[in-house]
Amino acid sequence: MKNFTLTIFLVSCFIVSSFGFSKNNLLSENKKTTFFIPNISFANYAAPAIDNATLLAFFKKYSQLKDYQNDVSTLYKDRSYKAIWYSGSQINEFGHLMYHKLNSTYEEGVQIRIPYKDKIDEVFDEDSTEKVSESDTELLLSSMYILYAKHVYQGMDAAAQNKLEWYLPKKKISYETLLDSISGNPNLLDQNNHVLFSQYYKLQEVLKKYREIEKNGTWNKISMDIPFQDLRPDATSQTIADIRQRLAIVGDLAKDSKSNFYDQELMDGIMKYKARYVLKPNYIITKDFIDQMNEPVSDRIKTIMLNMERCRWIPPTLENQSEYVMVNIPSFRLYYVRDGNYDIVSNVFIGTPLTQTVIFSGQIDRIVFSPYWYVPGSIIKNELKLKMAEEKNYLADHNMEWNGGKVRQKPGPNNALGLVKFMFPNPNDIYMHDTPSKSLFGFEKRIFSHGCINVEKAKELAIAMLREYPDWPVDKINSAMSGVKETPCMLKKKVPIYIGYFTAWVSKEGEIGFFPDVYERDVQLNRLLFPQDTEFKTANN
């Protein structure tokens, strides 16, 4: 029981040093796996305010950036002085991408001097005692954006400059223009000559279907008995008839028999619907389930449109890779794709709203079996020091030790990282790993980690990724995962990984699933694209 309690404690306080970075941890640039910055600023109106006085004070304080003052000032003037790199009081994913791009200049073959690099590193280091103000952070990142663009792309001809995969346009354009255009980079096509990620076109087809449903006025509200009780097979209710009609409209039932009896046909339709939405697979119809089905069709349409916009941020060439890993945060799912087939589909759990898993693309370069877990300084300071003061032998009793001035948990079945982790160098210091807390995968909304991705089928994923490695047969993998000794495996061929955020996704079979907007990013994106729309609500929050 004591070890189980420790496991729960370690998992619950597993706070990765999210923003640590070293020169040895640079991500190699691969134009096939980076993703597009959208044609909009992801600023939230609660973000740090920028005005002329702020700009003047900043460049007086950071005098080595004076050469970029005019360009930075123009950047904000063209955006009505709204923040670029913040959503609310937090740096958004594009701020983190800017930091990653900056640190990757060496890998791009560009030698540039980066003024105030130490200050920027402090911003992304959660253990730093020196804190940079939000306005200084905002303007430092904008200065770095100008510096990056000038140095990395200077001297390129027009065709090469068109390949710049991320940029900040000077003017906002209407959503209809965004939606109807195909102004993606024509030099980055997939095997079907798509100029956009193929999911865009799949969503586009489903959008037509849902607009037709809206036009026909068949999206009727599902009634509920008062008082309402959960409905199970063999129940009789008008609610059953209403649900049957909805399932027929969206395609989970072949026809609407109009029966109000909960029969086998409806059971099959309910299970198909729940599978599409990644809901707990049971036949019970609850109030929450009905509330979710009663989301207006206009909101479903809007969700589809928002995710079409997200598809514009991903180069279509991602799907040309012989193998890759894709994690969709809202659906709590991981997909390992080999030769176009889903070899592994696994449940995952992700970061809480306070410690969000970031959108990211990179390459998995190694697998570590029976890993150590180096406890972040924040946990040592806020949790372990108190426990060590209370219990003299606390570390030894809990399979932990000091190592080089840091505390680490030794390999073993109760290690917070489980028995295997998958590493992909990135400025956020996140990775995928196993977990001893398997019961957490039984929850529908799996937001338990502090940023890293916990994988239910971690062992199966490792076996699949090493299938073509003759020196790593299954019995060797089993031995390496015994929890006795940390054993790394460097991959001869790096595996692309994309961590995305899609609240609507169309399967290969053409069936759409809608997923919870766990970090309320649909709300933020909708606010930017539809500023007059104050009634939009996201599904299944």
Side-chain angles (χ1 to χ4, degrees):
M1 178 62 72
K2 191 173 186 180
N3 286 338
F4 175 77
T5 303
L6 170 67
T7 299
I8 296 300
F9 161 70
L10 290 174
V11 171
S12 66
C13 68
F14 182 18
I15 305 176
V16 176
S17 304
S18 300
F19 309 126
F21 188 90
S22 69
K23 290 182 179 178
N24 295 325
N25 209 28
L26 290 172
L27 172 66
S28 298
E29 282 298 295
N30 184 327
K31 296 299 182 186
K32 292 184 178 180
T33 56
T34 53
F35 58 94
F36 294 99
I37 290 294
N39 297 335
I40 52 175
S41 164
F42 258 67
N44 182 293
Y45 295 111
I50 303 298
D51 54 26
N52 283 324
T54 305
L55 286 162
L56 290 172
F58 172 84
F59 285 104
K60 183 177 181 180
K61 180 178 180 180
Y62 296 93
S63 57
Q64 294 179 45
L65 298 174
K66 273 278 189 180
D67 290 346
Y68 310 111
Q69 183 171 352
N70 289 338
D71 288 318
V72 171
S73 297
T74 300
L75 202 63
Y76 286 96
K77 181 180 179 181
D78 290 336
R79 287 166 184 74
S80 302
Y81 295 95
K82 301 296 184 184
I84 297 168
W85 311 104
Y86 273 84
S87 290
S89 60
Q90 296 184 341
I91 299 174
N92 58 35
E93 54 263 39
F94 306 110
H96 291 293
L97 179 59
M98 177 68 252
Y99 182 59
H100 158 60
K101 284 286 186 182
L102 195 67
N103 283 313
S104 297
T105 53
Y106 177 80
E107 297 295 320
E108 293 175 348
V110 180
Q111 301 288 338
I112 59 175
R113 175 181 170 272
I114 303 175
Y116 306 106
K117 182 62 165 58
D118 57 335
K119 286 290 184 184
I120 300 170
D121 288 339
E122 288 171 5
V123 171
F124 293 90
D125 181 2
E126 70 168 10
D127 291 327
S128 174
T129 56
E130 299 292 329
K131 298 301 178 184
V132 182
S133 71
E134 291 181 357
S135 60
D136 280 4
T137 297
E138 170 74 19
L139 294 175
L140 278 169
L141 287 173
S142 290
S143 298
M144 293 306 103
Y145 167 71
I146 298 298
L147 178 149
Y148 179 89
K150 283 181 177 294
H151 284 82
V152 175
Y153 292 97
Q154 66 178 350
M156 287 186 175
D157 57 26
Q161 289 177 4
N162 284 336
K163 294 182 180 180
L164 180 60
E165 294 181 17
W166 68 291
Y167 58 95
L168 296 169
K170 292 184 176 181
K171 296 181 180 179
K172 292 182 181 179
I173 57 180
S174 72
Y175 185 74
E176 290 302 319
T177 302
L178 278 172
L179 190 63
D180 296 335
S181 73
I182 53 171
S183 59
N185 189 336
N187 299 301
L188 293 170
L189 304 178
D190 73 355
Q191 54 195 358
N192 297 313
N193 290 323
H194 284 153
V195 296
L196 294 173
F197 186 52
S198 68
Q199 183 66 201
Y200 177 96
Y201 303 99
K202 294 176 182 179
L203 287 166
Q204 192 175 50
E205 287 302 308
V206 176
L207 178 64
K208 296 176 184 176
K209 173 183 176 179
Y210 274 74
R211 280 178 166 165
E212 190 65 24
I213 292 173
E214 182 181 42
K215 178 181 177 181
N216 293 338
T218 53
W219 191 277
N220 300 320
K221 185 174 182 179
I222 296 168
S223 61
M224 285 191 284
D225 298 327
I226 300 176
F228 180 81
Q229 292 184 340
D230 290 351
L231 296 172
R232 290 173 167 80
D234 294 336
T236 300
S237 170
Q238 179 59 40
T239 302
I240 299 296
D242 291 348
I243 290 176
R244 190 185 301 276
Q245 188 246 7
R246 174 68 61 76
L247 294 180
I249 288 174
V250 298
D252 293 317
L253 287 177
K255 64 181 186 305
D256 178 12
S257 68
K258 302 188 183 304
S259 170
N260 63 359
F261 177 69
Y262 195 164
D263 56 12
Q264 182 63 52
E265 181 183 49
L266 185 64
M267 290 166 63
D268 294 342
I270 290 288
M271 292 299 282
K272 187 176 180 181
Y273 181 95
K274 288 191 173 185
R276 289 195 296 112
Y277 283 68
V278 195
L279 301 175
K280 190 170 292 187
N282 59 44
Y283 298 119
I284 304 172
I285 298 174
T286 65
K287 182 181 182 301
D288 287 343
F289 179 75
I290 296 172
D291 286 343
Q292 187 237 37
M293 293 191 81
N294 272 332
E295 182 185 38
V297 66
S298 59
D299 283 356
R300 290 281 161 88
I301 288 172
K302 193 68 66 63
T303 298
I304 294 171
M305 294 165 73
L306 296 177
N307 284 277
M308 288 177 69
E309 167 60 19
R310 290 190 174 105
C311 289
R312 297 170 56 82
W313 313 349
I314 305 175
T317 48
L318 172 68
E319 296 165 294
N320 293 351
Q321 307 297 316
S322 60
E323 63 175 329
Y324 62 92
V325 172
M326 186 163 187
V327 177
N328 186 22
I329 292 171
S331 67
F332 313 107
R333 283 284 174 85
L334 172 148
Y335 302 90
Y336 172 65
V337 182
R338 182 187 286 270
D339 298 327
N341 298 312
Y342 289 168
D343 270 19
I344 300 289
V345 178
S346 176
N347 290 328
V348 301
F349 62 80
I350 58 169
T352 69
L354 292 178
T355 54
Q356 298 181 9
T357 298
V358 299
I359 294 174
F360 175 79
S361 66
Q363 296 189 45
I364 301 172
D365 64 359
R366 62 195 183 279
I367 302 172
V368 181
F369 297 103
S370 300
Y372 283 98
W373 175 44
Y374 284 85
V375 184
S378 56
I379 291 181
I380 296 174
K381 178 181 178 181
N382 300 323
E383 304 284 349
L384 287 187
K385 281 190 175 181
L386 178 60
K387 293 184 178 295
M388 286 187 287
E390 294 174 346
E391 301 179 39
K392 182 179 179 180
N393 297 320
Y394 183 85
L395 293 185
D397 290 344
H398 295 87
N399 204 34
M400 304 173 83
E401 63 184 6
W402 285 100
N403 179 267
K406 297 182 178 180
V407 175
R408 68 181 183 181
Q409 187 183 22
K410 299 176 185 178
N414 293 320
N415 186 286
L417 304 185
L419 295 174
V420 61
K421 67 178 178 178
F422 304 82
M423 304 297 291
F424 37 95
N426 64 89
N428 305 96
D429 196 24
I430 65 170
Y431 43 91
M432 301 188 303
H433 61 84
D434 183 27
T435 176
S437 300
K438 304 295 186 185
S439 62
L440 296 179
F441 292 110
F443 289 81
E444 280 187 357
K445 189 178 291 186
R446 297 184 290 274
I447 47 175
F448 304 114
S449 83
H450 284 77
C452 281
I453 299 159
N454 294 245
V455 183
E456 184 174 25
K457 296 182 180 179
K459 179 178 179 179
E460 292 90 334
L461 179 61
I463 292 173
M465 290 178 64
L466 296 177
R467 185 179 304 154
E468 297 180 359
Y469 287 66
D471 52 339
W472 277 98
V474 174
D475 58 348
K476 182 177 179 180
I477 293 174
N478 287 333
S479 177
M481 290 183 67
S482 63
V484 176
K485 176 185 177 182
E486 182 174 88
T487 306
C489 170
M490 300 301 296
L491 298 181
K492 298 171 186 176
K493 180 183 177 183
K494 298 176 182 179
V495 178
I497 180 171
Y498 181 79
I499 303 170
Y501 193 93
F502 290 92
T503 52
W505 184 266
V506 181
S507 69
K508 283 188 173 182
E509 296 72 31
E511 297 178 341
I512 189 166
F514 292 92
F515 313 118
D517 184 17
V518 289
Y519 298 152
E520 296 190 352
R521 292 182 180 176
D522 276 6
V523 175
Q524 296 175 22
L525 182 53
N526 184 73
R527 186 182 301 128
L528 291 164
L529 300 177
F530 302 93
Q532 305 304 318
D533 182 3
T534 59
E535 298 182 357
F536 173 69
K537 296 179 181 178
T538 54
N540 199 26
N541 264 333

